[in-house]
Amino acid sequence: MHLLASGWLLRHSVVMCLLLHSVVLMTCFHHAATSCSQGCYCSESDSRGKTVRCSNLRLTEIPQDLPNDTRRIYLDFNLLTEVPSNAFQGLPLLSELDLSNNELAKLEQGAFRSLGPSLTFLDLSSNKLVNFNPEAFEGLRARANLTNNPWHCDCSLQMSMPHIDLEPLSLTGIVCETSDPPDVGAEGVPFLLAQDLDLCVVMKKTTDVAMLVTMFGWFTMVISYLVYYVRHNTEDARRHLEYLKSLPTKPGPSEASSTVSTMV
Ligand SMILES: *[C@@H]1O[C@H](CO)[C@@H](O)[C@H](O)[C@H]1NC(C)=O
Ligand SMILES: *[C@@H]1O[C@H](CO)[C@@H](O)[C@H](O)[C@H]1NC(C)=O
């Protein structure tokens, strides 16, 4: 009796196993049909559009075969080190891009160029970004998470701040890890909120010195020209005077003409 029951169970479980297997296979096929690139996982919903998840795949390059109707891309927890120019071309609907927790140290000029009109959120947090390159963000009005990067704050960052198109609050994420000049109290501070921090002071000083030197040069030139002019003129005037003196005083018209004729 027991044997029979266990036999039935065994057969039953084999059938179950087969069923399970086919279910797994089907989902695999389903995945294959909607998969995007390099083992990424795609999902789609009517309200939110297409989402591509490529998180935690040890990717070192940004996949180039992303579906052109993608609205959200998760590339977080990979090994990406840079975003080249036009890395996300041909994705006119992309509105959210997650690049957090990578090794990103370099964003090339125009890295997000084609995303200008559509992108609303860009996550670059927890990377290795040091120098802020405003040209990488050209035309981008998205909100960006820039926190948790080893930002270096210097005069060029200060100068570029007013020309950055990103949603202004994003810039509070630039917390300086190092600064130039150092020891001015910039470290550990969100750069945007450090009101009376002026990292261009040193540069201003050098430009001031340059201005002074140039002005001094001009001044010297003008003065020496004046001196030369005055000297030259006094010499001329003296010669003129001497010539006049050499002429006989109160010369009669006949006398003068005779001297002239004898001279000639
Ligand atoms: C994606 O590409 C297909 C084929 O090239 C094209 O028909 C479609 O309009 C594109 N979709 C978007 C959103 O650009
Ligand atoms: C930005 O990223 C950090 C770290 O990933 C996270 O803690 C923070 O909540 C994020 N901020 C916003 C505004 O999304």
Side-chain angles (χ1 to χ4, degrees):
M1 191 67 189
H2 271 189
L3 254 162
L4 227 111
S6 58
W8 182 84
L9 251 173
L10 198 75
R11 240 181 302 152
H12 209 75
S13 56
V14 165
V15 170
M16 281 290 280
C17 243
L18 276 173
L19 256 171
L20 219 88
H21 200 79
S22 57
V23 165
V24 167
L25 266 178
M26 262 171 70
T27 45
C28 276
F29 270 116
H30 184 71
H31 274 196
T34 55
S35 92
C36 332
S37 59
Q38 300 178 26
C40 300
Y41 171 74
C42 286
S43 60
E44 194 155 7
S45 81
D46 291 338
S47 54
R48 305 191 72 208
K50 185 169 282 179
T51 300
V52 180
R53 293 177 192 278
C54 310
S55 311
N56 216 338
L57 292 176
R58 308 187 68 80
L59 296 178
T60 54
E61 272 172 25
I62 292 160
Q64 286 304 302
D65 48 354
L66 297 159
N68 67 350
D69 55 348
T70 304
R71 287 180 192 268
R72 266 169 296 278
I73 302 178
Y74 294 90
L75 283 164
D76 50 327
F77 291 98
N78 280 295
L79 303 171
L80 305 172
T81 55
E82 65 169 336
V83 181
S85 298
N86 292 308
F88 298 97
Q89 236 170 354
L91 302 168
L93 305 180
L94 193 66
S95 69
E96 280 181 46
L97 176 55
D98 188 349
L99 289 165
S100 65
N101 294 282
N102 276 279
E103 309 281 320
L104 291 176
K106 191 173 169 202
L107 309 175
E108 265 177 27
Q109 178 178 2
F112 308 106
R113 188 177 283 141
S114 53
L115 303 178
S118 62
L119 200 71
T120 56
F121 182 58
L122 171 63
D123 198 341
L124 287 168
S125 65
S126 303
N127 275 289
K128 302 222 159 25
L129 297 168
V130 174
N131 291 307
F132 189 90
N133 177 10
E135 289 171 338
F137 299 91
E138 65 185 24
L140 212 57
R141 294 182 193 288
R143 183 163 60 89
N145 189 341
L146 301 172
T147 59
N148 217 352
N149 280 283
W151 292 112
H152 176 72
C153 297
D154 59 5
C155 183
S156 76
L157 172 67
Q158 184 173 321
M159 303 281 270
S160 62
M161 277 288 186
H163 309 293
I164 299 169
D165 294 329
L166 289 174
E167 192 227 290
L169 265 183
S170 313
L171 302 179
T172 56
I174 303 181
V175 177
C176 314
E177 186 165 307
T178 55
S179 77
D180 179 31
D183 311 321
V184 287
E187 285 95 345
V189 176
F191 186 75
L192 195 70
L193 305 180
Q195 292 289 345
D196 26 76
L197 203 63
D198 190 353
L199 297 178
C200 294
V201 166
V202 176
M203 204 151 121
K204 272 182 197 147
K205 267 186 195 151
T206 43
T207 42
D208 280 359
V209 168
M211 282 279 280
L212 253 165
V213 168
T214 319
M215 275 172 67
F216 184 75
W218 276 106
F219 190 70
T220 321
M221 268 169 69
V222 168
I223 291 290
S224 36
Y225 178 72
L226 269 176
V227 167
Y228 168 79
Y229 183 82
V230 167
R231 270 212 192 143
H232 195 81
N233 270 17
T234 43
E235 204 133 286
D236 254 15
R238 197 159 45 79
R239 253 186 273 145
H240 204 76
L241 212 75
E242 265 164 21
Y243 170 71
L244 283 179
K245 270 185 191 162
S246 71
L247 293 178
T249 40
K250 290 183 195 169
S254 52
E255 234 178 306
S257 56
S258 68
T259 18
V260 167
S261 54
T262 45
M263 270 170 83
V264 172

